[in-house]
Amino acid sequence: MYMLQVGINGYGTIGKRVADAVRAQPDMEVVGVAKTRPNFEAEGAVENGYPLYAAIEERAGRFDDAGIELAGMVEELVEAADVIVDACPSGIGADNKSLYDEYDTPALYQGGEDASVADTSFNARANYDEAVGAQHVRVVSCNTTGLSRLVAPLREEYGVEKVRATLVRRGGDPAQTGRGPINDIVPNPVSLPSHHGPDVKTIFPDLAIDTLGLKVPATLMHMHSINVSLEAEPDAEEVRELLERQSRIFVIPEHMDIDGAGKLKEFAMDRGRPRGDFWENCVWGESVSMEGNDLYLFQAIHQESDVVPENVDAIRAVTNAADAEESIETTNDALGIGF
Amino acid sequence: MYMLQVGINGYGTIGKRVADAVRAQPDMEVVGVAKTRPNFEAEGAVENGYPLYAAIEERAGRFDDAGIELAGMVEELVEAADVIVDACPSGIGADNKSLYDEYDTPALYQGGEDASVADTSFNARANYDEAVGAQHVRVVSCNTTGLSRLVAPLREEYGVEKVRATLVRRGGDPAQTGRGPINDIVPNPVSLPSHHGPDVKTIFPDLAIDTLGLKVPATLMHMHSINVSLEAEPDAEEVRELLERQSRIFVIPEHMDIDGAGKLKEFAMDRGRPRGDFWENCVWGESVSMEGNDLYLFQAIHQESDVVPENVDAIRAVTNAADAEESIETTNDALGIGF
Amino acid sequence: MYMLQVGINGYGTIGKRVADAVRAQPDMEVVGVAKTRPNFEAEGAVENGYPLYAAIEERAGRFDDAGIELAGMVEELVEAADVIVDACPSGIGADNKSLYDEYDTPALYQGGEDASVADTSFNARANYDEAVGAQHVRVVSCNTTGLSRLVAPLREEYGVEKVRATLVRRGGDPAQTGRGPINDIVPNPVSLPSHHGPDVKTIFPDLAIDTLGLKVPATLMHMHSINVSLEAEPDAEEVRELLERQSRIFVIPEHMDIDGAGKLKEFAMDRGRPRGDFWENCVWGESVSMEGNDLYLFQAIHQESDVVPENVDAIRAVTNAADAEESIETTNDALGIGF
Amino acid sequence: MYMLQVGINGYGTIGKRVADAVRAQPDMEVVGVAKTRPNFEAEGAVENGYPLYAAIEERAGRFDDAGIELAGMVEELVEAADVIVDACPSGIGADNKSLYDEYDTPALYQGGEDASVADTSFNARANYDEAVGAQHVRVVSCNTTGLSRLVAPLREEYGVEKVRATLVRRGGDPAQTGRGPINDIVPNPVSLPSHHGPDVKTIFPDLAIDTLGLKVPATLMHMHSINVSLEAEPDAEEVRELLERQSRIFVIPEHMDIDGAGKLKEFAMDRGRPRGDFWENCVWGESVSMEGNDLYLFQAIHQESDVVPENVDAIRAVTNAADAEESIETTNDALGIGF
Ligand SMILES: NC(=O)c1ccc[n+]([C@@H]2O[C@H](COP(=O)([O-])OP(=O)(O)OC[C@H]3O[C@@H](n4cnc5c(N)ncnc54)[C@H](O)[C@@H]3O)[C@@H](O)[C@H]2O)c1
Ligand SMILES: NC(=O)c1ccc[n+]([C@@H]2O[C@H](COP(=O)([O-])OP(=O)(O)OC[C@H]3O[C@@H](n4cnc5c(N)ncnc54)[C@H](O)[C@@H]3O)[C@@H](O)[C@H]2O)c1
Ligand SMILES: NC(=O)c1ccc[n+]([C@@H]2O[C@H](COP(=O)([O-])OP(=O)(O)OC[C@H]3O[C@@H](n4cnc5c(N)ncnc54)[C@H](O)[C@@H]3O)[C@@H](O)[C@H]2O)c1
Ligand SMILES: NC(=O)c1ccc[n+]([C@@H]2O[C@H](COP(=O)([O-])OP(=O)(O)OC[C@H]3O[C@@H](n4cnc5c(N)ncnc54)[C@H](O)[C@@H]3O)[C@@H](O)[C@H]2O)c1
């Protein structure tokens, strides 16, 4: 079987997870990863056997100084790859676009980029087909991914009148010591509704959705406080079962006695998840409730990893290597999604 | 002019603030405060000239040991007072009720008590008259006070179809070192809708309101992410002006460049507010927005002090010392409410 | 080869890690684990194939209710085991002692117990031999383990005049949502020197050591700010090399660009460590410095896991299954200690 | 009596406090304050009646836009002032030096500047006289001020062999939402000893002092874990009494039951301190202890305000308006230092 050659440009929080997820697939392999500077993650790439490319020619010497062997420059990686996953910091992806075009390599971008960078925004559950054969595809952000996975089945099953969501966002990832706030709850953005709603509309253009965003001093996961006014009035139990049937939604059972993101991550680590990752939305089963046609629930979203299986699927979409159902199933099986 | 004699049982976060607010009024004075044990707050009571009573007879000796002079036992305070403000920890208020009945002293309770402890729950802006002449009145919690102040004018002006509010609550007050979470976002309670909605209905029995509560690692203020489906479609500017006219709502102007609770408290302290207190709801002006008939906004609620002016008004209500308008104005003037 | 039958009483933060570490050894196996109540950790025990015993007879029914199958009562586990590792909450270990005596099963206790619970306190590097053949052994706390590993080689190589250490302790483990402080730095205990110094003396009775303890709003690792007045004046490079030679000390190289516990844990997870655990002390290489005979350095201690290899070695000590060197090497190899 | 005309360039955390402290003095007044941009603090300056000057000519228009009236440009302020207190962000003070020289106005700088910016570094208790008549004086940082106040009496009374201090620093001030860490303990700087020791030597050039610095997710106060090897062996009680006699050291009595910075600030606010400020070092009485000639103690340092009385004294020093004793007493009386 031909193995898709995947290059990853930007080997940080997202990039390193995508690399490991790609390697776990039966139909792809990591042709190499690119980074700008040496640190423990660069060393980790080498340790893991990923050929490491320098993203910035002038700084390539720094890897030498740190005793890290390079496989070449990023251009070579782009040339060698069937698909490039760009996982550079927000905004850099757009800068890199011309490089990918130069070598005619299809590219995936992350949610930190503007939607306009790509031909289409992507969520496997909701709009896989739109990315089939596309040259530039943006895998939407962690929050938008989490919202899309929730909205998709609700729309199909009941119809959605309106979504109202408050996104209580972690201030920074666990390793980002420079980010705050330390002791505050910060409306962000202050002006409403927030830009998160329009981002969800890149997946569901005709969805009515208003979002509000806040930042708090926590690092583990985002928390979504969700209201969906449905076009029907199912009972809560039925909705819960619908969500339980979604492969990338984990409905937390009451008896697990999990009260927040700390215990959730502990659970993931106990189950041997790499890096304690949650590729799934985590919905508190107990929270799923209906008041009239208003659905309410809480879901925790692991910002560092929920987009990872989406990137894998998007690779298959742009290369036309599988249809949605087949790709999702392959990805899930290879990673071990679901508990 | 006769000065109402007010006793305060429980001299902690709320009690000490109510004492200072009572003292600032032209028509009341603090006849004494009661506490269970000596600490810096007990010393502060004496320092401030409030006669200090022991709440628990067997522990009265501890005050002696700490060199703090007592004025007597709490029973004497209850007897001497025209009104007692009970500001004991949640649940203790209910235990104290029989003591107040014994001396036939009208009593106010705080929001940590069950609504059933009192004849009526109280918010000055919304239902002052219901407390007039009552024997047992509960001043609702900081969150319910904040929601009531917001809902009252919206109902009067536009009618309210439904309120949906996510309460992002501080984990503990600034001095409570024993409370968490440290690095988590905790759905609390997990089952929805939360008990906060029904509590608001003790003020507006026929209001449609669903609430969701979360706890986060912050100590300064609660933050409310608010949606109100109105029965009209005013523009945002009009709603903002309506809120600006409310004496206990502070609409934060954009040009102040205040991004969260930290800068808000800094502002309050710069303006000389005692303890940096915010007796007002703090609504971000920039956040007030309308989508169809859906109003959205963020408000910060200073848990330690927003109920303070409400307690003062409730004292006048139960003693029939003034009507709502007069009491609110007197309280506001005496404290210096508004910026 | 005979496999030592190890029972674990208390399957929480420490217990579950010890179970996994025991299973990884070539000469031991987990005969079962005991817990008081069902939750995700209890389910995890079953998932991992550890026979689960109920610690409290009256509550055994709760496991049934949660659909978790029990292997029996804790007494049966104690009887079946060659050694019991007690990993119950502080103080419960002492209560359990008579149970272990009843079945004449040698027992290990954790650092939350008083030293007096055991015949000897234990650190593999420092005093393995004292535990050989003992019936009751206490594996010292995470902080004491971290200090002992550091002191042992310094004493041997240079002699130690005095240790002065400030322990900046995490407020709670990542999953403990009920613990604070949220925004404070709390001297704990306030009276000095702290009890941590005397605890280190249970390992080195004649060591001169003064410690100070603080609690801060962080969950990942403790941080030790260390001063050791040596009896010699080696240069910093030499000390650093000495530490690098210790198998359970990881000296963080500068080029890894690791600035705190967040990046450290990230590094551990990138390297595939189960639960992101650090069984080693983590000393910042750059921090190791000498001023006259005063050594200074920072070390981070992973409270949840540094005692795990020590428990494994203590099992071999009490059963006289290996000498110190052999045990440490076996443990290290089986776990993959060192980077 | 002639009132010293004091100008303040930089009206932020430090500047606004110095302004209020200057105004409270019997022998000085605030001739004006300068700021670069409008926000709530600029509005507060006007509200407080301080003439407001624009620090950057091109941006002066922004104040107009925000409806804030300007008194002029910073050059006019410098010209009008007898002394300028520069309280601009770190590094800007040095840039401003030529401006002060141009108008021959003596200037004070803050601890964020390099020592080389000034003729002398300053701490009122330790080296007032060195600043008498100087043109450029640097008031040392909050941490150095806190250490100097402690070291001065110990040196005088017992002689100091060596100081070893671990500075557990707050990550940011309460209003600085952009600063972290959120959930980490960060050695900062990593290389030892830290630069804080040499900074203390700008006050005591021949002092033996080694310091270690850490940053934690707290905003209220710094915490110092202190060891001083004395040249004598007084008992702890005697040292405590010595510290109690220092006017700018507050020894926290046990019976106040204050466990950390949260309760400390609460106490300050209860006592009516403006902004809850602590101009004094706060030493836990219970922590003061002696082991041989080793003194140990914990002190909390309010980063935002401990340098404020020092600035006031430095104004008198550079203008030769009073000697040390007289100035300190006047400052203390005017502010109400001591409890
Ligand atoms: N971290 C999250 O929680 C998260 C979640 C979803 C989406 N995203 C998005 O994913 C993208 C990557 O974010 P991240 O958190 O992984 O960032 P990161 O900072 O952890 O990693 C970025 C990596 O890119 C490298 N890099 C920087 N400039 C580069 C260049 N010019 N060429 C190649 N490599 C370069 C860096 O060295 C680093 O290894 C962003 O668009 C972000 O918005 C992040
Ligand atoms: N702190 C808040 O943010 C807040 C906000 C709104 C309402 N409330 C409510 O106000 C009430 C008081 O809360 P708080 O935060 O002020 O508590 P607190 O713990 O700060 O103060 C309670 C005081 O009561 C004293 N006390 C305890 N038992 C007593 C007894 N039997 N008799 C007399 N005094 C006794 C304590 O010594 C303490 O001084 C609670 O119902 C609480 O739910 C608190
Ligand atoms: N967590 C740490 O960071 C840490 C570090 C070093 C040492 N320790 C010590 O290890 C011991 C265990 O701490 P932990 O953090 O693992 O606690 P934990 O609360 O995470 O786990 C304790 C476990 O014991 C079970 N348990 C409670 N009562 C029991 C009983 N009577 N019989 C059997 N099981 C019972 C609980 O259900 C839980 O599973 C304590 O002595 C602690 O001081 C903890
Ligand atoms: N905040 C503390 O905890 C603290 C403690 C002790 C010493 N310091 C030192 O005090 C100084 C000021 O720190 P801060 O915390 O008050 O800072 P800040 O940011 O709170 O205030 C600085 C002020 O200076 C103004 N400003 C910026 N550039 C200016 C310019 N070119 N001209 C005039 N004004 C300008 C800003 O608008 C702001 O009002 C720094 O050197 C700092 O290191 C700060």
Side-chain angles (χ1 to χ4, degrees):
Chain A
M1 182 197 205
Y2 176 71
M3 300 291 269
L4 279 170
Q5 301 297 306
V6 181
I8 291 154
N9 191 15
Y11 187 80
T13 303
I14 299 299
K16 68 190 175 189
R17 285 174 164 86
V18 172
D20 292 355
V22 163
R23 172 179 278 184
Q25 304 303 312
D27 55 348
M28 342 186 150
E29 60 194 26
V30 178
V31 59
V33 305
K35 235 190 141 318
T36 43
R37 61 187 190 84
N39 70 347
F40 71 92
E41 286 174 323
E43 297 180 36
V46 175
E47 191 83 10
N48 283 346
Y50 299 133
L52 180 66
Y53 292 78
I56 301 184
E57 185 129 25
E58 306 80 68
R59 298 205 211 144
R62 294 215 221 159
F63 289 92
D64 270 358
D65 298 347
I68 300 176
E69 209 181 337
L70 287 179
M73 292 299 134
V74 68
E75 289 74 12
E76 301 167 66
L77 175 62
V78 175
E79 185 162 19
D82 293 327
V83 183
I84 277 284
V85 180
D86 184 295
C88 292
S90 304
I92 308 287
D95 295 347
N96 291 337
K97 191 175 176 177
S98 57
L99 171 66
Y100 309 142
D101 273 338
E102 195 176 323
Y103 292 93
D104 209 29
T105 310
L108 308 185
Y109 304 87
Q110 305 305 316
E113 304 301 319
D114 270 358
S116 62
V117 79
D119 311 325
T120 185
S121 287
F122 179 86
N123 172 263
R125 174 69 176 78
N127 73 344
Y128 186 100
D129 290 348
E130 288 173 32
V132 173
Q135 191 70 6
H136 299 282
V137 170
R138 185 181 70 121
V139 175
V140 291
S141 76
C142 45
N143 281 309
T144 302
T145 296
L147 289 168
S148 299
R149 287 177 181 167
L150 189 69
V151 165
L154 294 173
R155 267 167 71 103
E156 289 166 14
E157 199 76 17
Y158 309 115
V160 165
E161 204 176 285
K162 187 162 198 172
V163 178
R164 298 175 190 85
T166 296
L167 314 182
V168 185
R169 288 152 46 217
R170 58 72 175 122
D173 292 335
Q176 293 180 306
T177 45
R179 294 181 64 159
I182 291 177
N183 183 36
D184 214 329
I185 307 173
V186 181
N188 180 270
V190 175
S191 66
L192 295 178
S194 77
H195 55 81
H196 302 94
D199 201 53
V200 177
K201 290 183 172 195
T202 63
I203 303 294
F204 308 101
D206 59 342
L207 182 71
I209 176 166
D210 294 330
T211 53
L212 305 92
L214 295 154
K215 278 196 310 185
V216 301
T219 65
L220 301 177
M221 300 178 89
H222 298 300
M223 185 72 72
H224 291 179
S225 165
I226 299 278
N227 163 241
V228 185
S229 299
L230 298 172
E231 286 171 357
E233 297 200 13
D235 65 20
E237 196 46 39
E238 190 191 322
V239 178
R240 182 173 170 158
E241 282 162 13
L242 172 67
L243 299 181
E244 284 169 342
R245 285 194 303 274
Q246 307 303 311
S247 66
R248 292 185 186 166
I249 295 183
F250 167 52
V251 178
I252 310 165
E254 283 79 339
H255 56 75
M256 282 198 175
D257 206 8
I258 287 177
D259 67 350
K263 286 206 184 59
L264 260 180
K265 293 280 292 174
E266 183 95 1
F267 165 73
M269 289 189 292
D270 282 359
R271 293 303 168 94
R273 281 286 174 93
R275 300 184 175 90
D277 280 351
F278 269 108
W279 300 298
E280 305 89 352
N281 291 20
C282 300
V283 172
W284 269 270
E286 215 176 330
S287 76
V288 178
S289 62
M290 292 293 309
E291 297 287 311
N293 71 328
D294 269 327
L295 167 67
Y296 294 98
L297 61 82
F298 288 119
Q299 69 175 355
I301 298 297
H302 188 219
Q303 74 274 2
E304 301 173 296
S305 68
D306 76 330
V307 299
V308 169
E310 309 296 330
N311 272 278
V312 172
D313 291 328
I315 291 167
R316 290 201 192 88
V318 297
T319 56
N320 211 341
D323 67 15
E325 197 183 343
E326 193 191 327
S327 176
I328 291 176
E329 202 180 312
T330 308
T331 305
N332 290 357
D333 282 358
L335 292 179
I337 283 185
F339 291 98
Chain B
M1 184 196 203
Y2 177 71
M3 301 290 270
L4 279 169
Q5 301 296 304
V6 180
I8 291 153
N9 191 15
Y11 188 78
T13 303
I14 300 298
K16 67 189 175 190
R17 285 173 163 87
V18 171
D20 292 354
V22 163
R23 171 178 279 183
Q25 304 303 312
D27 55 348
M28 346 186 145
E29 58 193 31
V30 177
V31 60
V33 305
K35 234 190 142 319
T36 42
R37 61 186 190 84
N39 70 346
F40 72 94
E41 287 175 322
E43 297 180 35
V46 175
E47 191 84 11
N48 283 345
Y50 299 132
L52 180 66
Y53 293 79
I56 300 183
E57 185 130 24
E58 307 80 66
R59 297 204 211 146
R62 293 214 220 160
F63 289 91
D64 269 359
D65 298 348
I68 301 176
E69 210 182 336
L70 288 179
M73 291 299 134
V74 68
E75 290 75 12
E76 301 167 66
L77 176 63
V78 175
E79 186 163 18
D82 293 327
V83 183
I84 278 285
V85 179
D86 184 296
C88 292
S90 303
I92 308 285
D95 295 347
N96 291 337
K97 190 175 178 177
S98 57
L99 171 66
Y100 308 143
D101 272 340
E102 196 177 320
Y103 293 93
D104 209 28
T105 309
L108 308 184
Y109 304 87
Q110 305 306 315
E113 304 300 321
D114 270 358
S116 62
V117 80
D119 311 325
T120 184
S121 288
F122 179 85
N123 172 263
R125 174 69 176 76
N127 73 344
Y128 185 100
D129 290 348
E130 288 173 30
V132 172
Q135 191 70 7
H136 300 282
V137 169
R138 185 181 70 121
V139 175
V140 291
S141 76
C142 46
N143 281 311
T144 302
T145 296
L147 290 168
S148 298
R149 288 178 181 166
L150 189 70
V151 165
L154 294 172
R155 265 167 73 102
E156 289 166 15
E157 198 75 17
Y158 309 114
V160 164
E161 203 176 285
K162 186 161 200 173
V163 179
R164 299 176 190 85
T166 296
L167 313 183
V168 185
R169 289 152 46 217
R170 59 72 175 120
D173 294 334
Q176 294 180 305
T177 43
R179 294 181 63 161
I182 291 177
N183 183 37
D184 214 330
I185 306 174
V186 181
N188 178 271
V190 174
S191 66
L192 294 179
S194 78
H195 55 81
H196 302 94
D199 202 53
V200 177
K201 290 183 169 196
T202 64
I203 303 295
F204 308 101
D206 59 342
L207 182 72
I209 176 167
D210 294 330
T211 53
L212 306 93
L214 295 155
K215 279 196 308 185
V216 301
T219 65
L220 300 177
M221 300 178 88
H222 297 302
M223 185 72 72
H224 292 180
S225 166
I226 299 279
N227 164 241
V228 185
S229 299
L230 298 172
E231 287 171 356
E233 299 201 11
D235 67 20
E237 196 47 40
E238 189 190 324
V239 177
R240 183 172 170 161
E241 281 161 14
L242 172 67
L243 299 180
E244 283 169 344
R245 285 195 301 274
Q246 307 302 311
S247 66
R248 293 186 184 165
I249 295 183
F250 167 52
V251 178
I252 309 165
E254 284 80 339
H255 55 76
M256 281 199 176
D257 205 9
I258 287 176
D259 66 351
K263 286 207 184 57
L264 260 179
K265 294 279 292 172
E266 183 96 359
F267 165 72
M269 288 190 292
D270 283 359
R271 293 303 168 95
R273 282 287 175 92
R275 300 184 174 89
D277 280 352
F278 269 108
W279 301 299
E280 305 90 350
N281 292 17
C282 299
V283 172
W284 269 270
E286 215 176 329
S287 76
V288 178
S289 62
M290 292 293 309
E291 296 287 311
N293 70 328
D294 269 327
L295 167 67
Y296 295 98
L297 61 82
F298 288 119
Q299 68 175 355
I301 298 296
H302 188 219
Q303 73 275 3
E304 301 174 295
S305 68
D306 77 330
V307 299
V308 170
E310 309 296 329
N311 273 278
V312 172
D313 291 328
I315 290 168
R316 290 201 192 88
V318 297
T319 56
N320 210 340
D323 68 14
E325 197 184 341
E326 193 190 329
S327 176
I328 291 176
E329 202 181 311
T330 308
T331 305
N332 291 356
D333 282 357
L335 292 178
I337 284 184
F339 290 97
Chain C
M1 183 198 204
Y2 177 72
M3 299 292 269
L4 279 170
Q5 301 297 305
V6 180
I8 291 154
N9 191 15
Y11 188 79
T13 303
I14 300 298
K16 68 189 175 190
R17 286 173 163 87
V18 171
D20 292 355
V22 163
R23 172 178 279 182
Q25 304 303 312
D27 54 348
M28 336 186 154
E29 60 194 28
V30 177
V31 59
V33 305
K35 235 189 140 320
T36 43
R37 61 186 191 83
N39 70 348
F40 72 93
E41 287 175 323
E43 297 181 35
V46 175
E47 191 84 12
N48 283 346
Y50 299 131
L52 180 65
Y53 292 77
I56 301 184
E57 184 128 25
E58 307 80 67
R59 298 205 211 145
R62 292 214 222 160
F63 289 91
D64 269 359
D65 299 348
I68 300 177
E69 211 182 335
L70 287 179
M73 292 299 135
V74 67
E75 289 76 11
E76 302 166 65
L77 176 62
V78 175
E79 186 162 18
D82 293 327
V83 183
I84 277 285
V85 179
D86 184 296
C88 291
S90 304
I92 308 286
D95 295 347
N96 291 338
K97 189 174 178 179
S98 57
L99 171 67
Y100 308 144
D101 273 339
E102 196 177 320
Y103 293 93
D104 208 28
T105 310
L108 308 185
Y109 304 87
Q110 305 305 315
E113 304 300 321
D114 270 358
S116 62
V117 79
D119 311 326
T120 184
S121 287
F122 179 85
N123 172 263
R125 174 70 175 78
N127 73 344
Y128 186 100
D129 291 348
E130 289 174 30
V132 173
Q135 190 71 5
H136 299 283
V137 169
R138 186 181 69 120
V139 175
V140 292
S141 76
C142 46
N143 281 309
T144 302
T145 296
L147 289 169
S148 298
R149 287 177 181 167
L150 189 68
V151 165
L154 293 173
R155 266 166 72 102
E156 290 166 14
E157 198 75 18
Y158 310 114
V160 165
E161 201 177 286
K162 186 161 199 174
V163 178
R164 298 177 190 84
T166 296
L167 313 182
V168 185
R169 288 151 46 215
R170 60 69 176 122
D173 293 335
Q176 294 180 305
T177 45
R179 294 181 64 159
I182 292 176
N183 182 37
D184 214 329
I185 307 173
V186 181
N188 180 269
V190 175
S191 65
L192 294 179
S194 78
H195 55 81
H196 303 94
D199 202 52
V200 178
K201 290 182 171 197
T202 64
I203 303 296
F204 308 99
D206 59 343
L207 182 72
I209 176 166
D210 295 329
T211 54
L212 305 93
L214 296 155
K215 278 198 309 186
V216 301
T219 65
L220 301 177
M221 299 178 89
H222 298 300
M223 185 73 70
H224 292 179
S225 167
I226 299 278
N227 163 241
V228 185
S229 299
L230 298 173
E231 287 171 356
E233 299 201 13
D235 66 20
E237 197 47 40
E238 188 191 323
V239 176
R240 182 173 170 160
E241 281 162 15
L242 172 67
L243 300 181
E244 283 169 344
R245 286 194 302 272
Q246 307 303 311
S247 66
R248 291 184 186 167
I249 294 184
F250 167 51
V251 178
I252 310 164
E254 284 80 338
H255 56 75
M256 281 198 174
D257 205 8
I258 286 176
D259 67 350
K263 285 205 185 60
L264 261 180
K265 293 279 292 173
E266 185 95 1
F267 165 72
M269 289 189 293
D270 282 0
R271 293 302 169 95
R273 282 286 174 94
R275 299 184 175 90
D277 280 351
F278 269 108
W279 300 298
E280 306 89 351
N281 291 19
C282 300
V283 172
W284 268 270
E286 215 177 330
S287 76
V288 178
S289 61
M290 292 294 308
E291 296 288 310
N293 71 327
D294 268 327
L295 167 67
Y296 294 98
L297 60 82
F298 288 120
Q299 68 174 354
I301 298 295
H302 188 220
Q303 74 275 2
E304 302 174 296
S305 69
D306 76 330
V307 299
V308 169
E310 308 296 328
N311 273 278
V312 172
D313 291 327
I315 291 168
R316 290 202 192 87
V318 299
T319 56
N320 211 338
D323 66 15
E325 196 184 342
E326 192 190 330
S327 176
I328 291 177
E329 201 179 312
T330 307
T331 305
N332 291 357
D333 281 358
L335 292 178
I337 285 185
F339 291 97
Chain D
M1 182 196 204
Y2 176 72
M3 300 290 270
L4 279 170
Q5 302 297 304
V6 181
I8 291 154
N9 190 16
Y11 187 80
T13 302
I14 299 298
K16 68 189 175 190
R17 286 173 163 87
V18 171
D20 292 355
V22 163
R23 172 178 278 184
Q25 304 303 312
D27 55 349
M28 341 186 150
E29 60 194 29
V30 177
V31 60
V33 306
K35 234 189 142 319
T36 42
R37 61 187 191 84
N39 70 348
F40 72 93
E41 286 175 322
E43 297 181 36
V46 175
E47 191 83 12
N48 283 346
Y50 300 132
L52 180 65
Y53 292 78
I56 301 183
E57 185 128 25
E58 306 79 69
R59 297 204 210 144
R62 291 214 220 159
F63 289 91
D64 269 359
D65 298 348
I68 300 176
E69 210 183 333
L70 287 180
M73 292 299 134
V74 67
E75 289 75 12
E76 302 167 65
L77 176 62
V78 175
E79 184 161 20
D82 294 326
V83 183
I84 277 286
V85 179
D86 184 295
C88 292
S90 305
I92 308 286
D95 296 347
N96 290 338
K97 190 175 177 178
S98 57
L99 172 66
Y100 309 143
D101 274 338
E102 195 177 322
Y103 293 93
D104 207 28
T105 309
L108 308 184
Y109 303 87
Q110 305 306 315
E113 304 301 319
D114 271 358
S116 62
V117 80
D119 311 325
T120 184
S121 288
F122 179 85
N123 173 263
R125 173 71 176 76
N127 73 343
Y128 186 99
D129 291 348
E130 289 173 29
V132 173
Q135 191 69 7
H136 299 281
V137 169
R138 186 181 70 120
V139 176
V140 291
S141 76
C142 46
N143 281 310
T144 302
T145 296
L147 290 169
S148 298
R149 287 177 181 167
L150 189 69
V151 165
L154 294 173
R155 266 167 72 102
E156 289 166 16
E157 199 75 18
Y158 310 115
V160 164
E161 202 175 287
K162 186 161 198 173
V163 178
R164 299 176 189 85
T166 297
L167 313 183
V168 185
R169 288 152 45 215
R170 60 65 176 129
D173 293 335
Q176 293 180 304
T177 45
R179 294 181 63 160
I182 291 177
N183 183 37
D184 214 329
I185 307 174
V186 181
N188 179 270
V190 174
S191 65
L192 293 179
S194 78
H195 55 81
H196 302 94
D199 202 51
V200 178
K201 290 184 171 197
T202 64
I203 302 295
F204 307 100
D206 58 342
L207 183 72
I209 177 167
D210 295 330
T211 54
L212 306 91
L214 295 155
K215 278 196 309 184
V216 301
T219 65
L220 301 177
M221 301 178 88
H222 298 299
M223 185 72 73
H224 292 179
S225 167
I226 299 278
N227 163 241
V228 185
S229 299
L230 298 173
E231 286 172 356
E233 297 201 13
D235 67 19
E237 196 47 40
E238 188 190 323
V239 177
R240 182 172 170 162
E241 281 161 15
L242 172 68
L243 299 181
E244 283 168 344
R245 286 195 302 274
Q246 308 303 311
S247 67
R248 292 185 185 165
I249 294 184
F250 167 52
V251 178
I252 310 165
E254 284 80 339
H255 55 75
M256 282 199 174
D257 206 8
I258 287 176
D259 66 350
K263 286 206 184 58
L264 261 180
K265 293 280 292 172
E266 184 95 0
F267 165 72
M269 289 189 292
D270 283 0
R271 295 301 169 94
R273 281 286 174 94
R275 300 185 175 91
D277 280 351
F278 269 108
W279 299 298
E280 305 88 352
N281 291 19
C282 300
V283 172
W284 269 270
E286 214 175 330
S287 75
V288 178
S289 62
M290 292 292 310
E291 297 287 312
N293 71 328
D294 268 327
L295 167 67
Y296 293 98
L297 60 82
F298 288 120
Q299 69 174 355
I301 298 296
H302 188 219
Q303 74 275 2
E304 301 174 295
S305 69
D306 76 331
V307 299
V308 170
E310 310 295 329
N311 273 278
V312 172
D313 291 328
I315 291 168
R316 289 201 193 89
V318 298
T319 56
N320 210 341
D323 66 15
E325 197 184 340
E326 193 191 327
S327 176
I328 291 177
E329 201 180 313
T330 307
T331 304
N332 290 358
D333 281 358
L335 292 178
I337 284 185
F339 291 98

